[in-house]
Structure formats: structure tokens, C-alpha cells
Amino acid sequence: MQVAIIKYNAGNVQSVLYALERLGAEAILTDDLETISKADKVIFPGQGEASSAMKYLKDKKLDQLIPQLKQDFFGVCLGQQLLCAHSEEGNTTCLNVFPVEVKKFRPENALDFKVPHIGWNNLQDLKSPLLQGLDDSAFVYYVHSYYCELSTYSIATTDYVLPFSALMHKDNFFAMQAHPEKSGLVGERILENFLKL
Amino acid sequence: MLTKRIIPCLDIKEGRTVKGVNFVQLRDAGDPVELAKIYSDEGADELVFLDITATVDKRKTLAELVTKVAKAINIPFTVGGGISSVEDVKVLLNAGADKISINSAAVKNPEVINKMAAEFGSQCIVVAIDTRNVDGIDFVHTHGGRKATLLKTQEWAKEVNERGAGEILLTSMDHDGTKSGFANEITAEISSMLSIPVIASGGAGKMVHFKDVFTFGKADAALAASIFHFKEIPIPELKQYLSTDGISIRL
């Protein structure tokens, strides 16, 4: 099985590659359209800023390719947000795989909730084969200031300021706001489940 | 619920851990990768590597070490010590670090915080502040706390937040090494002023000190070194204690 990790100008994508290596998966980091199209599984990682990431995807024509992919696809962190319709970050039109809005955390009292949301928080309302073997005691590592709104596509939620979509699923597309590659055994389990789908 | 983080700090010199480390299960007491793996397995929420290598040419060793750590562990880690330029940050992030921490370089040239945050995002820029109370006023110190500056800690913390730091690592030089507890007062003051998380450091000696810094000190995370290295406080026991006492903790 060949896993393609989409390479773009965002954050520490190397760690996703290392995480897959620890699971014994064969993975490559690439922005080549053909390699991505032919891969058995695709992971779309990333940290960074939405509008500059979208610009990079457009330059590489990845914005046209990604929504048409048919194999299992996993958007992580910024990758989840870019799969949505629109992000408040840089007022960015995104890939619209999930017709969902990405919003900024705006706590009423800044003392109660710091932004970015940094650290370990738990998953709730888990419902998906992707989350098999996990329950609401599962903690994952977050670093983000924007979140995907709850929708019919939510397969797990996390509560910070308000409940948001921790993970989402539609057809062959899965997405997760936290970093599975940095979420200890829980993250490993999620990546393993994704590889086994 | 977002949990409070427990962060062991490893001092690194030329790619090896320094300060005595008392782990019987370590085959090589100086191997940072092996120690990092143990802490991560024990439930540490994050790790900090502080490089104290003096010479520039030896710093290549650090990037190599960062890659080895990134390959071995599945929790986030920060690398600090001697980082001064955007290029330094790039090398370490590309090697696999999740965050970097800057200290003296930010004091010398505050604009570098803006540059790093713009280039890599605030989430990976930690600004370390060493503070010491001099006649009732908190002043920022640099060079491992040896050099006093005229910057007031509260004002500097506010400035680095505004310049785009993602987190602050606040070390009280008055408490560091004393094992008498964290500097809860200044930590609470800084944490309440800022919109970004504060990692408290310096003074950990007992489990209750962690509870105090999370409650009275309003810290988002707590960092310690020797009490973990010498197994005075095992991490699983500490986390169990905090959880039982009502602190939100990842078990």
C-alpha cells in the first residue's frame, strides 16, 4: 500500500511521515498530481495560514485534484479546515468538500479561554470506524485558533469555548483538527484505523 | 476539556543530555532519544530540549538530534537554546521540531519575534522569559539569568504576546533550583494579562507545587527538570495526584 502525504508550504509535515513510518506504512511526501492520484491513501496535513496554503494548492492545481479523489483521504489540522467551504482566516474560499464554515474562536472572556487552543483535549460523541477502539477518554493534541463548525459530517466533537467538529467524514473524505502524529497512542490508533479502512 | 500540561525539560550539550539523569532503565544515560521515549511513554504531555552547546559548528548535531527525536516519539516537543534567526528556526522545524523557543535573541532584537511568527506561524514560536525580582520589581534577565536587563517582566510579556509569540515559558530565577515551589504570584499575573498560554518553570520540588501553580499560578503548563530526571516525582504518580485533586489532566 502506498500512502501519499501532500506536500505544501505549511508547517511540520515531516512528522506525519515519521508517524506513518513508525506504523510500518510506506509513505511519500509529494505534490505531484499523478503520484497523489495513484496512491492508495492520501493524507493532507499541515499547519499554517489558510489563504497562503490555498494559494499554494491553486498554483500546483491541487485545488482541482483533491475534491475529485476517490481513495480514502485524511485532512489533518489545517488540512481539515481547507476541506471546508470557507474560512474566516484571511476570508478564504476553500475546497468545499464539506459545506461547512471555519470560524475563529471568540471567547466572551479572554481569561477563561486562551487562543490558540493549545494542548491535550478529549474527543466526545465518537462515531466512525476511524475511531474504533477509542472512547471519550481519548485525548488528542491541538494547536489551532480556527475551528470547523458542528455539522451532520461531525464524527467526534471537542469542547473548547464551544463544541466543534473534532473529526468529520463524508464519502471517502475524513478530517481531523488535532494532530494524530503528535497525539501519542490515541493518534497512532487513528492513523492505524485510517490505513485499515 | 483542555488539560494542564506536564513538561520535562532536557538539557543538551553536543547532542547528549547533561546533568545527572537517574534512570535505571536507561542503557545510555546520555542518550536524549532514549530518555525522550521514556518520558513520552510515561505520559509527559510535551518535551523541551534546551541546547547549551556553546559553539556554532556543533549546532549541526542539534538538528540531527531533533530528527532522531521526531522519528522516535509521538508527542510534541520544543527546541531552545541559542536560536537567533529565522534561518535557525527553519533548520530545526524542517528537522522535525514542533516548536522553537527563543530568549536572549528576542530581547536583543524584538522584531525577530514578528518575523518568525509571520514566517512559521505563532503556534511554533515560544518566547522564554527569565525573570528575577529586584527590590520588588520584576526584571527580565538573559544569558541563563546572569544578565539583568532594564525590561520589566510584565511589560515584556505583553510585548512578546503582541508581537506574535504563541506561548510564553516563564522561568523564575528566584525560584529556579530552590525546590520551594513555582513563582505563583508573577505567573498568575502574567497569565491573567495575556491571551496566550503560559508555561511555568523554576522551583518544582513536590507534587503540591504543580497543583499550586495550576490553581493559584493560573499556569497552562508546568515545566521541570531534575525532579523528573532523578525520579523524585514520577510523572504517572504526579498526574494521578493532580487528577485526584481535581486538576484537569490527561491520564
Side-chain angles (χ1 to χ4, degrees), chain A:
Chain A
M1 184 172 65
Q2 175 75 261
V3 184
I5 301 169
I6 298 180
K7 181 176 136 187
Y8 63 121
N9 63 336
N12 179 6
V13 290
Q14 202 71 34
S15 292
V16 177
L17 184 66
Y18 296 152
L20 292 174
E21 282 174 4
R22 282 194 293 271
L23 291 170
E26 195 189 322
I28 48 162
L29 204 55
T30 178
D31 58 7
D32 178 62
L33 301 185
E34 206 184 322
T35 312
I36 294 169
S37 303
K38 283 183 179 164
D40 300 304
K41 308 254 177 188
V42 178
I43 296 181
F44 180 43
Q47 272 175 8
E49 196 271 331
S51 66
S52 57
M54 270 309 292
K55 188 180 174 303
Y56 181 88
L57 294 180
K58 280 180 187 164
D59 289 347
K60 299 275 178 186
K61 298 203 165 39
L62 284 160
D63 64 319
Q64 292 164 35
L65 177 76
I66 292 171
Q68 290 170 19
L69 291 172
K70 295 287 174 249
Q71 65 273 59
D72 291 326
F73 186 99
F74 195 15
V76 170
C77 193
L78 184 63
Q80 164 167 302
Q81 297 179 5
L82 294 179
L83 288 175
C84 293
H86 175 265
S87 173
E88 284 186 356
E89 188 176 27
N91 187 21
T92 306
T93 301
C94 302
L95 299 167
N96 200 24
V97 168
F98 296 101
V100 168
E101 179 75 13
V102 181
K103 295 189 166 173
K104 184 163 192 182
F105 285 122
R106 289 191 184 82
E108 271 175 42
N109 183 353
L111 276 184
D112 296 336
F113 296 101
K114 294 186 174 182
V115 178
H117 172 215
I118 299 184
W120 297 80
N121 204 329
N122 66 318
L123 300 174
Q124 294 174 53
D125 307 319
L126 300 79
K127 42 188 178 199
S128 170
L130 185 66
L131 299 168
Q132 205 188 352
L134 302 172
D135 58 28
D136 60 9
S137 65
F139 281 89
V140 288
Y141 185 79
Y142 284 98
V143 184
H144 64 131
S145 300
Y146 294 80
Y147 66 92
C148 301
E149 281 191 301
L150 291 182
S151 68
T152 52
Y153 308 105
S154 306
I155 51 170
T157 66
T158 287
D159 200 343
Y160 190 72
V161 184
L162 75 181
F164 64 88
S165 276
L167 288 105
M168 306 195 296
H169 173 219
K170 180 191 172 192
D171 306 325
N172 56 318
F173 288 91
F174 293 85
M176 173 170 182
Q177 178 62 61
H179 288 267
E181 77 281 12
K182 291 288 163 185
S183 294
L185 294 175
V186 170
E188 259 171 34
R189 182 67 195 253
I190 294 171
L191 287 172
E192 216 174 352
N193 286 343
F194 174 71
L195 296 176
K196 281 185 189 158
L197 283 174

Side-chain angles (χ1 to χ4, degrees), chain B residues 188-241:
Chain B
E189 192 184 348
I190 301 282
S191 186
S192 305
M193 274 167 42
L194 305 183
S195 62
I196 54 176
V198 173
I199 305 162
S201 155
K206 294 180 187 157
M207 296 205 281
V208 68
H209 296 154
F210 287 86
K211 183 184 158 193
D212 290 346
V213 81
F214 290 140
T215 51
F216 307 131
K218 297 187 167 63
D220 299 284
L223 177 143
S226 57
I227 53 148
F228 294 139
H229 300 330
F230 291 107
K231 286 242 161 180
E232 288 165 35
I233 300 179
I235 291 172
E237 205 176 299
L238 172 62
K239 293 186 92 174
Q240 194 61 57
Y241 161 84

Side-chain angles (χ1 to χ4, degrees), chain B residues 122-186:
Chain B
S122 290
Q123 83 287 340
C124 60
I125 309 300
V126 180
V127 175
I129 301 177
D130 293 343
T131 182
R132 194 188 289 277
N133 190 283
V134 183
D135 299 329
I137 303 170
D138 299 297
F139 285 102
V140 175
H141 284 61
T142 59
H143 300 83
R146 293 189 304 275
K147 213 168 138 185
T149 73
L150 294 173
L151 284 171
K152 285 189 184 146
T153 305
Q154 290 83 345
E155 286 166 20
W156 177 236
K158 214 169 165 201
E159 182 177 341
V160 305
N161 186 0
E162 282 159 10
R163 285 183 179 276
E167 279 177 288
I168 284 179
L169 168 55
L170 182 70
T171 302
S172 163
M173 302 314 295
D174 302 304
H175 288 243
D176 200 31
T178 64
K179 296 195 176 180
S180 62
F182 292 94
N184 295 323
E185 214 168 297
I186 177 99

